[in-house]
Amino acid sequence: MRIEFTSHADQKIKILGRHGVKVTRSLVEEALLDPERVVLGLGGRQVAERSLDDEHVLRVVFIKEVNQIRVVTLYPAKRGRY
């Protein structure tokens, strides 16, 4: 399945890097293809979660279409917050 990143998602990766949070496209793709948890988000979007470290998870907001997954945004969160 093809994974497409919006320009916003690409910018979030860069912004997180400037703040010392190392997130790569590969890590985002892993979160989408092998998530620890997927929950329903707003407007029919889905949110995949994958561990970043012992205290944090990476949350990836995406839209699943017929032949592709579109990454809308992503952000780190404290484990258990959502």
Side-chain angles (χ1 to χ4, degrees):
M1 181 165 294
R2 191 172 139 227
I3 298 174
E4 176 187 319
F5 287 74
T6 62
S7 60
H8 175 76
D10 280 330
Q11 285 185 339
K12 287 289 293 236
I13 291 171
K14 291 176 187 173
I15 290 167
L16 290 171
R18 288 196 299 259
H19 290 279
V21 180
K22 292 187 178 187
V23 175
T24 62
R25 278 178 158 234
S26 296
L27 183 62
V28 174
E29 290 173 359
E30 283 179 32
L32 291 168
L33 299 174
D34 188 23
E36 292 171 6
R37 180 170 90 139
V38 177
V39 296
L40 212 58
L42 297 175
R45 296 174 177 171
Q46 296 180 59
V47 182
E49 286 188 5
R50 178 92 179 192
S51 292
L52 280 176
D53 57 36
D54 290 341
E55 297 178 19
H56 299 91
V57 294
L58 175 65
R59 291 180 51 92
V60 181
V61 179
F62 67 98
I63 299 169
K64 192 169 187 177
E65 297 173 343
V66 176
N67 292 321
Q68 76 175 9
I69 295 172
R70 184 178 309 159
V71 179
V72 177
T73 193
L74 53 113
Y75 54 95
K78 286 218 177 218
R79 188 177 299 282
R81 177 170 180 183
Y82 297 95

